[in-house]
Amino acid sequence: MDSHKPQMPVLDVCNLAISYETRTGDVPAVRDVSFGIERGEAHSIVGESGCGKSTIAFGIVNFLGRNGRIVDGSILFQGRELVGRSEEELRRIRGDQIAMVYQDPMQALNPSMRIGDQLSEVLTVHRDIEKPDAETKCVEMLERVHMPDAANVMRRYAHQLSGGQQQRVVVAMALLNGPALLIMDEPTTALDVTVEATVLDLIAGLQKDFDTAIMYICHNLGVVARVSTKVAVMYAGELVERASVAEIYLKPFHPYTQGLMRCVPRLGQDKRDSLLYPIPGRVPSPANLPPGCIFEPRCDYAREQCR
């Protein structure tokens, strides 16, 4: 066997375009996006709110809603095309080989079911494991995500847990089946900074243990630097720059990426002696994009040919 043979990406997104149907016509939310994620790699997608980060994630798992649809491109998961598959086929893949952790853990937890029932259901449905064995595995997974008193947590409801505990439950639920791809949609945004640091350490440790490919959606550049291998920068539905973490932080090329970096406060700098340079204006509406370069109205380097 050739040890130098290139490894197939766990996820290979090619020329993806997603639109939402509205009363005034189709609105292109994502246009011509391409990237790949290898096994054991953490790939972050960053950008301002409304740039299309979460739309890509929901497109991968087909959670776009009734008015959303993939209009072009392909999504290869372990070499298999996801675009055009039936809902039943996608349901078998979701939760088993692809798992998702949401920004708000209460979106993923049923408030009327005990935590133990929700966790064990993942194994009884996807792995056909008897419930007593499933509950044992769930307690073990809760302990792996450093949940205190895991056996007791199994008997509680979601509202009886803190925000950090809820997010650990959701991470444990996502990892129960050992998915090949873990999509995390701003999983620490609703947490305070100390709990956020703990969850980020947890994610980094579990990534090494499970060798899982992670797609991490975030707008916090400090978090991105801590958890990522590669970074893709999105603006107004397009991928404007993609590189390793070191390249993005030390030598950003696109004016938008440079603008994001100028907005990051530097450790050790006195706030009276240092200035943050915000990017003027706002992300344009997908229904009313500027001609030429989409960043031109906000760009300090814009020239006539950009328009």
Side-chain angles (χ1 to χ4, degrees):
M1 186 175 176
D2 186 3
S3 60
H4 299 288
K5 187 178 180 180
Q7 187 180 16
M8 179 187 294
V10 172
L11 181 70
D12 189 9
V13 176
C14 185
N15 305 123
L16 182 66
I18 298 173
S19 292
Y20 286 97
E21 185 181 349
T22 67
R23 294 177 186 175
T24 56
D26 284 358
V27 174
V30 170
R31 300 178 306 284
D32 197 28
V33 167
S34 300
F35 63 92
I37 307 178
E38 309 282 348
R39 189 162 193 86
E41 181 180 73
H43 188 293
S44 285
I45 299 180
V46 301
E48 294 170 272
S49 295
C51 69
K53 306 185 300 293
S54 295
T55 299
I56 292 175
F58 290 134
I60 292 170
V61 294
N62 196 31
F63 280 163
L64 291 171
R66 291 183 178 180
N67 65 328
R69 60 191 178 92
I70 295 172
V71 294
D72 196 13
S74 70
I75 302 170
L76 293 178
F77 173 66
Q78 294 183 325
R80 295 177 295 171
E81 180 63 67
L82 295 185
V83 178
R85 283 181 175 261
S86 69
E87 182 60 34
E88 182 57 37
E89 288 177 299
L90 288 170
R91 189 181 293 113
R92 285 198 297 267
I93 294 172
R94 289 195 302 255
D96 181 14
Q97 300 166 56
I98 300 176
M100 191 162 179
V101 175
Y102 296 90
Q103 179 175 340
D104 180 4
M106 286 303 286
Q107 290 183 15
L109 296 175
N110 187 330
S112 64
M113 289 177 65
R114 295 183 190 273
I115 296 299
D117 292 332
Q118 296 184 63
L119 286 170
S120 58
E121 187 177 61
V122 175
L123 292 171
T124 56
V125 170
H126 291 287
R127 288 287 183 264
D128 199 23
I129 298 175
E130 295 295 328
K131 189 163 184 181
D133 295 333
E135 289 179 346
T136 301
K137 289 182 179 292
C138 292
V139 172
E140 292 172 357
M141 183 57 76
L142 285 175
E143 290 171 347
R144 288 192 74 170
V145 299
H146 311 299
M147 177 70 79
D149 197 11
N152 207 3
V153 167
M154 293 278 286
R155 296 191 290 271
R156 295 178 187 168
Y157 292 92
H159 71 272
Q160 296 175 304
L161 305 179
S162 69
Q165 287 176 319
Q166 289 173 0
Q167 199 60 283
R168 287 172 196 236
V169 169
V170 173
V171 172
M173 185 183 295
L175 291 169
L176 269 172
N177 286 327
L181 175 65
L182 179 60
I183 301 173
M184 311 193 86
D185 188 3
E186 303 198 27
T188 60
T189 299
L191 306 177
D192 63 63
V193 289
T194 52
V195 178
E196 179 182 45
T198 304
V199 172
L200 291 176
D201 288 340
L202 166 66
I203 293 167
L206 292 173
Q207 181 190 359
K208 292 177 182 177
D209 293 345
F210 289 88
D211 198 30
T212 300
I214 296 179
M215 177 178 161
Y216 199 99
I217 296 168
C218 189
H219 63 259
N220 186 326
L221 293 170
V223 169
V224 168
R226 185 165 178 171
V227 302
S228 304
T229 313
K230 291 181 181 175
V231 182
V233 181
M234 284 200 72
Y235 181 75
E238 294 183 7
L239 211 70
V240 296
E241 187 165 357
R242 180 172 180 259
S244 69
V245 170
E247 290 173 319
I248 286 285
Y249 278 77
L250 297 177
K251 197 176 180 181
F253 278 99
H254 196 279
Y256 179 60
T257 312
Q258 294 172 7
L260 291 178
M261 293 303 165
R262 287 197 299 268
C263 296
V264 178
R266 309 292 176 184
L267 288 174
Q269 286 186 340
D270 192 304
K271 65 181 180 180
R272 291 167 294 188
D273 302 328
S274 61
L275 290 175
L276 294 180
Y277 297 93
I279 302 172
R282 63 182 64 184
V283 179
S285 166
N288 188 26
L289 294 172
C293 174
I294 54 173
F295 189 59
E296 179 271 325
R298 306 176 69 189
C299 183
D300 294 333
Y301 309 108
R303 292 177 285 183
E304 187 57 39
Q305 57 261 46
C306 302
R307 301 181 182 91

